[in-house]
Structures are given as C-alpha cells and as structure tokens.
Amino acid sequence: MQLANKKWALDEFMAQRQAVLSAWPTGEEVDLQEGMAYQRGIPNGQRFVTRLKEAKASQVTLVQPRAGVPLVADHLALLKHLETEGEADLLPTTIDSYTRLNRYEEAQRGIEESKATGKAMLNGFPAVNHGVKGCRMVTSALSTPVQVRHGTPDARLLCEITLAGGFTSFEGGGISYNIPYAKNATLQETIHNWQYCDRLTGLYEENGISINREPFGPLTGTLVPPCISNSVAVIEALLAAEQGVKNITVGYGQCGNLVQDVAALKSLESTVEAYLARFGYDGVTVTTVLHQWMGGFPQDEAKAFAVICWGSAVAALAKATKVIVKSPHEALGVPTREANAAGLRATKQTIMMLADQKMADGAALEEEIAVIDAETRQILERTLELGDGDIALGTVRAFEAGVIDVPFAPSRYNLGKIMPARDNEGAVRLLGVGMLPLTEAQKKFHQEKIAQRGRHENRGVSFQMVIDDIYAISKGRLVGRPR
Amino acid sequence: MQLANKKWALDEFMAQRQAVLSAWPTGEEVDLQEGMAYQRGIPNGQRFVTRLKEAKASQVTLVQPRAGVPLVADHLALLKHLETEGEADLLPTTIDSYTRLNRYEEAQRGIEESKATGKAMLNGFPAVNHGVKGCRMVTSALSTPVQVRHGTPDARLLCEITLAGGFTSFEGGGISYNIPYAKNATLQETIHNWQYCDRLTGLYEENGISINREPFGPLTGTLVPPCISNSVAVIEALLAAEQGVKNITVGYGQCGNLVQDVAALKSLESTVEAYLARFGYDGVTVTTVLHQWMGGFPQDEAKAFAVICWGSAVAALAKATKVIVKSPHEALGVPTREANAAGLRATKQTIMMLADQKMADGAALEEEIAVIDAETRQILERTLELGDGDIALGTVRAFEAGVIDVPFAPSRYNLGKIMPARDNEGAVRLLGVGMLPLTEAQKKFHQEKIAQRGRHENRGVSFQMVIDDIYAISKGRLVGRPR
Amino acid sequence: MDRKTIILGVIGADVHAVGNQILNYAFMDAGFRVVNLGVMVSQEEFIEAAIESAADAIVVSSLYGHGELDCQGFRDKCDEAGLKGILLYVGGNIVVGKQPFAQVEERFRQMGFDRVFGPGTSPEEGIHALKEDLGVT
Amino acid sequence: MDRKTIILGVIGADVHAVGNQILNYAFMDAGFRVVNLGVMVSQEEFIEAAIESAADAIVVSSLYGHGELDCQGFRDKCDEAGLKGILLYVGGNIVVGKQPFAQVEERFRQMGFDRVFGPGTSPEEGIHALKEDLGVT
Ligand code: B12
Ligand code: B12
C-alpha cells in the first residue's frame, strides 16, 4: 500500500469493509443501506450540520460538553441532563480509552464491572460494544445532535457503528488521533485508516446525508504553538475533503493569550479555506471550534470556573462556531453530571454576554495573524514538497523530519525536538524550534520574544521555564514566573 | 451656610466636631491626637495607600471583596477567611444599612437580635456602635489593609470612629453616597457633610498619615452611562482634593461591553487627572477601581461565576488598580464566607491569567474614549458654569437642572429624566437624554445607536427595551433582546 | 371592571429602587391602580396610604436584608388601624443571606403575611397571585 | 552515594505524556537512576524492566481513569516474577471521577501498593517519599 491523498475507489473501500466489520460481533449489525435509511429519518434540526451552518450564519457560538459513561441508560440520562440542565447546544458521546485502542474485550470487562459495582469503571461510552442498537437508543432519544468524540487511531469500526447508529458528527483524524493518542501507531497506518472513515462519511454525503467531521485541534493540549495545530488541521481538512467530506469543523485549543488565540482561530479558518480552494475542493463548509484550556487545570472549583469562563470569552470574541467546554472537576476526574452542567452554564452565560461583541481589529491582532499565517504556510509548503505534491505522503515524511513536531506527544513517530514556552505576554512561542522549516527571521522572532521574557524575569532561558509554564494555569496564572 | 468648594478653616471643622461626636456614646472614644498616634503605629505594608501605589506602579490589579456581619468576632473571622481562603489583596468592612442612615438604635437592636438568635440580623458591620475599640479589634488583627465601605449620606461620625479605629481607606462621597442611597437628603447637606469627612482625612494627611478615599463609582449600578458616573467621580475627586486628600481611587461599575468598559476606565483616569491639574491640586495619587457587574445577577451559581469572571477579565485588560468582587450568591443574599471566598478566587485566577496582557489599542477603543471624554467634559463644564466656577455649588444646580442625572436613583433630588438602554453591541447609550447638556451631534449618536438596535430587533424603541436590559444579565445575556 | 388598588413600596431603610419601578410599571400595565410609595417606606406610611386610598392590598418589597426586622408587627399595626384582613404580600431578598425558602416563608406567614415571595420572583407571578386573591379575572 | 533505580511509566492504555516527562526530569534531578518506560506500559513491561535493571521501586502513573482496572493483580505478578517486596507506588488521577481520596487510597493499598498519591501531587512529594522509603539521605 502506497499512501496518497487520493479518493478511494468504491471497491477498494468495500474490500476492506468485511475485515473491519468482523473485528467485533456488533459489526454484523451494520448494513450500509439500512444505516443510510435510518440517517435519512433524522430530522434536519437534529443534525450537526444544520446547527453548525445556522450558527456560522448568525455568528453565534454553540456550546458543547464532553461526556461519556459506560452503560447505555446512564449515558442517555447524562446527556439528557446536559441538554436540559446544561443548556448544551450540541451533545457529545465520549468514547472510553479501551475502545479507542480497539481493546473491545477490556471494554466489555469494564461494562461488566460497572454493572457489578454500580460505579463507572470506564472513562467513556464503549460504543462498539453497545453496537448500532445501543447507539440508536441514545441518539434517537435526544432532540440535540450528538457527535462521537474519542481519540482512536483506528476508528473504522467505531465510525461504521456510530454513523449507522445515528450520530451526525465524527471527531478525529489520522494525525490528530494518532500523535497525541498513541505510542506505536505509524502515520501511514492511521492516515490510511482515517481515509476509510472519511470515505465512509463521503459515501453518506454522496447519498444525501451530510455528516460533520472534526479534526482534533488541540493535539496534546499543552503549549502547542498555533502554527503546528493549524498545519495539522489544514492537512486533515484536505484529506477529508478528498474522500468526499463536505462539512468540516477545524479546531484550536486555547493557549491563553487573547490576541494570539483570536489570531490563531482567524488564521485557521482562512488558511483552511485557502488550501481547500487551492486544491479544488468546492462546496465544503468550514466551521471552527475553540477548546477551552486543554492543559492542566486548577483543582479549586472557583479557579476552574475562571479558566472555563476565560476560554468562553475567547471563543465568543473570536466568533468560533462552537466551544468545547471543561468542567470545574477537570483537574480531579471525569465530572459528575452536575459539575459538567455547571461548566456548560458558566460557558453559556459568558458566550451570551459576549454574543454581540467581537474582538476589535487592531495592529496587534493583524500582526499576530500574519505571524501564524506565514509560519503555517512555511510548514505546509515544505510538507507538500516532501510529499512531491502529495499531502498524505508529505505528512508522513514531515513528521519523520520534524517539519511538523508536536510538543509532549507520546508517539514515537513524532520527533519531539521543539520546545514551546510562553513569552512575556503569555503567547506560546518556541524556545527550541527543532527542525521546523522556519525562516531565519521567524526563528529570531521567537528567540527574541522568549529572551524578552527572560530579561523581565531576570533569568536565563531554560527548560525550567517550560516546566513553570506547564504548571502555571493550575497554579493560578498564565506565565510561569519564577517563584 | 453657603456651599462652596473651599477648604474648611480648622476652627470651622472643630466647631462641628463636638456635635458630630456626641451623636452616639461611642463618639466619646475618639481623640484626634490619640487616633493619629494609633494610625502612625500601623506598618506601611498594612496601609491601603502603600498597596495601591505598588499596584499602580506594577500594573497589577488587586482583588477586594465586600463583607460585613454584625458582631466583632464573627466579622474578624470572616475577614480572616477572605484573607486566607479568598486570597484577598485588600479587605473591606461593609457597614449595615441602619448605621448608614445614622439609625444607631436600630443597629443596636440588630446587634442584640443577632446575638440572641445566632443569625446575622444586619446586612453589615455596625462600626459606630462597636466604636473605636471594636474597630481596632478588627483592623489590628489582619495583615491586609482594611477599608470602610458603606453608602452613608452623613458619614461624619462613622469616619471619625473608623479612622481612629485603624481603617486606612474610606469609601463614599457627597453625591455618590446620596443619590443612589437616599431619598430625602439634599445635596447641599450631603456634600457639606462629606467635606467634613474629606477635611478629616486631609487633617490626617497633613499629619503624615495617608488615608485613601474612594468615591463610589457605580452609583445605582444599573445601566449608568459612563459619562454620568465619570462626571460624578471627577467632582468628588475635586471636592476631596480641595480638603487636602492626597490619595483618591476613582471607580466605575462594569457595563458589560468590553470596549466601552475599558474606554470608560481609561477616560475616567485621564479626565480626573486633567481636572485635578487644572484646578492646581498637585501631588494627588489617582488610582482606579472596576466594580464587577453591579446590576441584577443570575441566581444560578455557575452563571454568577461567569458574570464575576467576565468582570475580572475587563478589570485586568483595562489595568484597573483594583477590582471589587461579587460572589456566586449575589442574586440571593449576603454571601456566606465560603461563597465570598469562591468569588475572590475566581477573580484572582482570571486576573492572574491576564496579568501580562492588556487591551490592544485600536480605532474602536480610541473612538469610544473620545465619546466618553467629550460627553463628560460637556457635563462638567456646564456644571462649573452653573456654579459660577464653583464645582460644589454647580453640582447642586446641575442635579436640579438634570445636567447630571442618575438613572433609577431613589433620591428626590435627582431629576430622573434620562433613560439608558443598550445598543446593538451592548454598550450603554441614552434612549432618552433628558436634560443632559449634550451637543446635537452627541444626541444623534445615541439615537442612532439605539435605532440601529431597534432595526436589528425589528421593534420600535421603547421602555420595554429598558426593562429587557435590566433583566438581561440575570436571564443569561447582555442585550435584552425580545423573547 | 372595577380596578383594584394596591399600595406598593420598599420597606425600612431600603433604597433599592429598580425593582420597585418595574413592579409599578407591571402592576399598572396589568390593570391595577397603584399607589407607589417608592423606597424607604415605614409601616406607618404604608398603612396611611392604604387607608387614604381604600386599598385592596399592600405589596411590600424588601431587598436589602433587614426585612425581618422591618416587618415585625406589621399585621398588628394594620389591624389596629382598622385594616383588618387586608391582603399583605412581601417579596424580594427579604432576609439576610441565602436561607432555605420554606423556612423564610413560614416565618413571614407567622408574622401575618398572606403571601411570601423569594428572590427574583417575576412581576407576573405577583400579578397572578393578586388577581387570584382579589378575584380579578 | 549509591544511586537508587526507579522504573517509571504510565500504565495501561493511558497516553498522558506530560506528567511522565516531568516526573522523569524531576526524579533524575533528585539523583535517582530512572528507567522511563513512557506511556502505555503494561504490567509485564514494568516488571521486566524492574528485573533487568535491578530496580528499587516501580512508580506507576495513571491519569485517564482506568487505573483501578489496569492495576489489578500487579503485586501478585511482581511476587511471581521474583520481585517480592519491591516498592510499589501509584499516583495521578487513578480512578474515574472525583472520589473521596481516603477510600481510593484504601482500595489501592489493598491491591498491594505501598503508597498512593492523589491528583496533582507534586514531584517533590514523590521524591520525598522515595527517599524516605529507600533510605536515601
Ligand atoms: C492534557 C490532557 C490530555 C491530553 C494528553 C496529551 C498527552 N498525550 O499527554 C489529551 C487531550 C490527549 C487527553 C486525552 C484524554 N484524557 Co486527558 N487530560 C489532560 C489534562 C487536562 C492535563 C494532564 C496534564 O498534562 N497535566 C499536567 C501534568 C504536569 O500533570 P499530571 O498529568 O497530573 O502529572 C503530575 C501529577 O499527577 C503527578 N503524578 C503523576 N503520576 C504520579 C505518580 C506518583 C507516584 C506521584 C508521586 C506523582 C504522580 O506528577 C506529575 C507531574 O507533576 C487532565 C486534567 C488535568 N489534570 O487538568 C486530563 C485528564 C487526565 N484526562 C482525562 C481523560 C478521561 C482523557 C481521555 C480518556 C478522554 C478525553 N478527555 O479525551 C483521553 C485519554 C486518552 C488515553 N488513552 O489516555 C481525565 C481522566 C479522568 C479520571 N481519571 O477520572 C482527566 C483528569 C480530565 C477529566 N477531568 O476528565 N488528555
Ligand atoms: C443594584 C443593587 C444595589 C444598588 C441599588 C441602587 C438603587 N438605589 O436601586 C446599590 C449599589 C446602591 C445597592 C446598595 C446596597 N445593597 Co444592593 N443590590 C443590588 C443588586 C445587585 C440588584 C438589585 C436590582 O436592582 N435588581 C433588579 C430588579 C429588577 O430586581 P429586584 O430588585 O430583585 O426586584 C424584582 C423582584 O425581587 C420582585 N419583587 C421585589 N419585591 C417584590 C414583592 C412582591 C410581593 C413580589 C411578588 C415580587 C417582588 O420584582 C422585582 C421586579 O422584577 C442586588 C443583587 C441582585 N439581585 O442581583 C443587591 C442586593 C439586593 N443588595 C444588597 C445589599 C446588602 C446592599 C447594601 C446594604 C450593601 C451594599 N452591597 O452596598 C446596600 C443597601 C443600601 C440600602 N440602604 O438599601 C444585598 C441584600 C442582601 C440580603 N438580602 O441578604 C443584595 C441581594 C446583594 C447581596 N447578595 O449581597 N444595591
């Protein structure tokens, strides 16, 4: 198999399908025609795509939690709670970590032990084990559209089951669900497997059923420079579009500096649109999502609310199409439904107070957008070059070469040479640029920004800064100043 | 007595003093020399003025709660809790409503009933009844500076007792503690009585003891247009400076639109400084305070946190010297100490995440500053004219004429002709300009802004808009859109 | 329709004027004759106004927390003044702090109030209750 | 000084890599010899590495919530492999959700862990405990 960003022939796709569906007994429940018929029965207002398009048009930011528990009835009750008490505009179904690694037997053990102990023993909803029927029990009982959110390097079976199961959006991508979520999976493998998911989504699309796809923007959630996450988003958008996906939500994890965050989101949207246009993918609707702070949270709930609300404010000021919400329990564990709903309500209040306001343009914002635009293009152009024009192939080679490099990633296929740190205003910059294909001027810009902080803090630039920055928000501030 | 903004002769002040001190038995405890000696013993680090100057220099926003309960021991325990668990930078002592109206007998009843029932039966700390000794028991036991916060039209005795009692800051003013806090008190009377407080503060100052004074910025806390509250702040700063006050914190109650709020605070600071300079008051240190949303709060605590955090963000972005904090119990009643501390921690987290960021300059901000600057000057110049150059006299006449007019004020000496409403971005504008001395262009600006909202909402401009705006934040948004 | 008359005001040393202005507007809008005494109203002033205008109900607001002290003996004073059985409502943030509403309601009922409304009650609820109790359709 | 050897890793299907990298740095900085297995480490891998490097302690992290499932039988496996009495720590967000820590600690102690650390424990606390338990001064 030679990886290429090329639409799969239908029979190539179908040839794989049998193996995919037979990986676990519930695979048998999937029948493509019947699944499509079922999806056609879902009213428009309950589809992800409809809500996102409306929101984009009216410039309102929608609010979406993360949530998943092991048993169907509990999961449904949880989502209903978030719908009514949390005022969620969009709902999730967060998948447990065994399912994410295709360890369905362990997931089964988790289900059994959860039943036996009456405690949730899995950190999410094992959708494959519950099968198409279990999924439909959930999606059909809600008036809010539901998305699958996970972190699965090989999500083919999960995608088959959940799309047939009535979910109208599917998160993930061959890079964003590999590098931060796996250790040993090659990019060849995961990009290939995600082409399957995109092809499946495209197939639904060709049959008149619009399913939303969402690359996972925040990656490791920890000091990821915007040029890195935006590059990955562009690539995954291109990969999805090639397979026929028409509705893509690109994401970004809040870094904490207002100007940088708004700039990153603006740059993200325009860069994705520009590359889609350049490669001739017409008729793709691009929306955006901001993830509230994805790194370590403060344990104190009042302080956690502050982190949540600041993320909400950024989402609203940047006019993101939706925002993914944290809970005041974030630092401690999977939230109770009450804590989850509280995070949602705090977010909703912030969003609505800012609904009619936006970040004012200005020189600082323009400059920051220009910085991110330029760096992202540098990375993407070098990636295309490495792939001899093919973005899929280029991506594999770019990661090998460290042309794309995600900080703190567990994957052995990520070079791990760059080192991010905050500048004196809290924007995420590069203390070490690793092998990123930046110009000398760009490298100097980062160096100077961090040196400036060093001078202000009266200390040399070092790894201690990075450590301080990693802890900073959980300890009550943005920039990890020396104690 | 002819009111004038003129420094009181010492014997004029002393002549009044006896009557003031004899209004309640605890007045006898006050001895000016002894009080000054006591104040001199307070270490610098525990003085308000020191902390404010440091904060101003380092551009950090300090965090301060409201808090007061009837009994000394409970009050001290409450403040200690807010110091340790709330991480407060500055502490308050909020005075109960009977004391504010000099009803010391009723306050005494409240103290007795609180002791008897074990429940707080007063909404604050009755400092006059507790006397100099009671006050010192509080202020001496804390390492954080403490301010008197109240709403007292005639605060002469309260000021005498609390300054001798070791408080290093005193809130209020002859306008800001009359118009929103009284029904029948004339401005002649209250401005005169506050000249007493300022003269007393000035006397301490002349003796080397720097006490901070803070006009109450938010007035009625409900849709007050910045030009009104800023005009009042300028006037009270001038009145205080004339009596010898050297350290003034001018305040502003958050309206909710980011650009307007930052602009208002910037305009406030520079306008106050400009007028102080114009009238030759040198060596006055001006600092600023932003009050988190002062109108009706949402009952839900998660939503209340959102309102609190958004206010904190505005304070930090505007680089206010301090921020006055609400609690998640705001809509329900005087907060428990835990709720109060939670509000503080949420505020602290937000402030610290934004400590190194500021609102970027830009055209929108500049324009808004220019609007507020110009309107405020219009009002102040007309006020000076009305007073034949005397700002004290002018103020009395300006309120009579509606040249200064505070919305929703209980005072019968306030004309009550203006009607504020939000524009389409949530900035507070004037639906009815009443008798404000604005130019035709300025009036048109407001009209047009509100008409724009009307068009957007597809409804005529009416009082219903105002009602909708009053409820808006408590119902989850900023602009009161039609339901 | 015979219009019912209501005395409206904020009791005690309380200056919270915003809710009062809205209640005034809403009650008039709902067809009542409203005598609005504004803020800082004493029990005596309420009673005087009720006698003078032959009122059908007295609607007391208290926001600032001293409601429990300010309302003590109100019903007795009404009785003494010859307003026996007059409809007496109270609403707002009527006690200090966040307290279980059922207990608060009970205490004010004991004091002789016919209806007790908690924080943030909408004017509509008040109007609905008044119409019911005064037999307005 | 004879340097103590520690096996470090994140158990199960858990990919949380940040805390692991910091612990690695901090333990080395504190003078330990650290064999860092990174994330997604099975019980078998921990044990193999401990045998291979004659380790003094195994420090298990679990962040993602499946800690309770992943750690079952770990002590027995150690015993079987000849690592009787090896120091066994676990820390992180080791159960699903916010649970009373005393109960969680008890459950993991029952499973044979010598020390159990709750969410957000600082590396310093871990180092302090290791030094105490391994007699390092
Ligand atoms: C960043 C993050 C991610 C990133 C991780 C990127 C990466 N590959 O590293 C991403 C986004 C990929 C991610 C994914 C998931 N995550 Co996550 N994640 C976090 C988050 C926000 C921060 C973790 C972190 O980096 N902290 C900073 C480091 C420095 O701190 P630390 O990890 O706690 O480690 C320190 C201490 O715990 C201690 N320590 C750790 N081990 C030990 C051991 C000993 C002996 C001692 C003494 C000390 C010690 O020392 C470390 C250094 O200081 C936490 C919540 C939080 N803490 O705020 C959730 C959290 C850990 N994640 C959680 C979950 C559920 C998941 C997912 C299943 C679902 C999801 N949300 O997508 C997946 C799991 C994937 C998988 N298979 O593991 C949950 C776990 C829930 C629970 N236990 O009940 C948490 C708590 C969030 C929550 N409240 O729901 N996550
Ligand atoms: C704005 C405000 C102020 C302004 C008032 C300006 C003015 N003159 O009007 C200022 C800043 C001056 C102020 C001062 C004080 N305030 Co104040 N204030 C508020 C605030 C934030 C909003 C009030 C408001 O206007 N709401 C909007 C209107 C529309 O709603 P409303 O007043 O609740 O009225 C509605 C309903 O309650 C209902 N209703 C009212 N009465 C009745 C009666 C019946 C029968 C029915 C059916 C319905 C009903 O209908 C009204 C219309 O919808 C509230 C907290 C909150 N609610 O968020 C605190 C609050 C009322 N204030 C409080 C306090 C303690 C004070 C002060 C003592 C101290 C201080 N914080 O400075 C002083 C008191 C001065 C005095 N002597 O009265 C406390 C009361 C505490 C308690 N009860 O336990 C509150 C609850 C804040 C708090 N949590 O501490 N305040």
Side-chain angles (χ1 to χ4, degrees), chain B residues 317-329:
Chain B
L317 290 172
K319 298 289 162 231
T321 320
K322 68 173 189 177
V323 57
I324 301 286
V325 175
K326 293 265 173 168
S327 90
H329 283 182

Side-chain angles (χ1 to χ4, degrees), chain D residues 108-129:
Chain D
F108 279 81
R109 277 186 176 281
Q110 292 292 335
M111 283 195 243
F113 286 86
D114 297 299
R115 296 214 194 213
V116 185
F117 299 88
T121 306
S122 72
E124 289 70 34
E125 272 180 74
I127 290 165
H128 185 85

Side-chain angles (χ1 to χ4, degrees), chain B residues 98 123 183 299 301 331-332, chain C residues 13 39 64 66 70 93 98 119:
Chain B
Y98 291 138
N123 57 14
K183 186 175 173 179
Q299 295 206 4
E301 296 193 15
L332 294 165
Chain C
V39 302
Y64 72 154
H66 293 186
D70 293 334
N93 302 71
K98 186 176 171 176

Side-chain angles (χ1 to χ4, degrees), chain B residues 66 94-95 97 100-101 123 150 180-181 216 219-222 294-297 326 329-335 408-410 470-471, chain C residues 13-19 22-23 59-65 89-97 117-123 126:
Chain B
R66 286 193 183 78
T94 300
I95 307 299
S97 287
R100 292 168 182 220
L101 291 159
N123 57 14
H150 44 133
Y181 284 101
F216 176 64
L219 302 175
T220 51
T222 307
M294 288 292 288
F297 252 64
K326 293 265 173 168
H329 283 182
E330 176 63 16
L332 294 165
V334 170
F408 310 109
I470 287 174
Y471 286 125
Chain C
D14 194 335
V15 299
H16 289 90
V18 182
I22 292 190
L23 284 180
V59 175
V60 176
S61 291
S62 177
L63 283 311
Y64 72 154
Y89 284 8
V90 64
N93 302 71
I94 56 179
V95 292
V96 175
F117 298 88
T121 306
S122 72

Side-chain angles (χ1 to χ4, degrees), chain B residues 64-67 82 292-293 295 297-309 324-347, chain C residues 97-98:
Chain B
Q64 183 179 10
R66 286 193 183 78
L82 299 179
Q292 293 175 355
W293 176 243
F297 252 64
Q299 295 206 4
D300 177 65
E301 296 193 15
K303 294 187 172 191
F305 270 118
V307 180
I308 288 168
C309 293
I324 301 286
V325 175
K326 293 265 173 168
S327 90
H329 283 182
E330 176 63 16
L332 294 165
V334 170
T336 58
R337 60 191 200 172
E338 288 76 17
N340 209 335
L344 283 165
R345 289 196 305 275
T347 299
Chain C
K98 186 176 171 176

Side-chain angles (χ1 to χ4, degrees), chain C residues 42-78:
Chain C
S42 65
Q43 295 188 0
E44 291 71 20
E45 287 171 289
F46 273 110
I47 289 168
E48 229 165 81
I51 293 171
E52 222 164 76
S53 56
D56 302 283
I58 300 180
V59 175
V60 176
S61 291
S62 177
L63 283 311
Y64 72 154
H66 293 186
E68 212 163 341
L69 292 170
D70 293 334
C71 289
Q72 282 172 14
F74 200 169
R75 174 59 79 187
D76 293 343
K77 281 229 184 73
C78 287

Side-chain angles (χ1 to χ4, degrees), chain A residues 389-469:
Chain A
D390 186 280
I391 194 74
L393 204 58
T395 299
V396 176
R397 293 176 180 159
F399 270 92
E400 269 166 24
V403 161
I404 308 178
D405 195 351
V406 178
F408 311 107
S411 168
R412 63 171 88 251
Y413 298 102
N414 181 73
L415 196 64
K417 276 262 161 77
I418 68 164
M419 191 56 71
R422 295 192 184 278
D423 70 15
N424 210 34
E425 279 90 48
V428 173
R429 308 292 179 196
L430 289 159
L431 187 152
V433 296
M435 305 304 286
L436 294 187
L438 302 187
T439 64
E440 285 312 308
Q442 286 168 334
K443 287 180 189 167
K444 221 172 141 201
F445 170 80
H446 285 272
Q447 253 168 32
E448 185 36 46
K449 283 283 184 188
I450 298 203
Q452 198 180 340
R453 167 176 170 192
R455 286 193 296 275
H456 185 262
E457 291 176 359
N458 213 351
R459 63 168 167 176
V461 168
S462 76
F463 186 58
Q464 189 58 46
M465 258 185 196
V466 185
I467 294 185
D468 291 342
D469 283 348

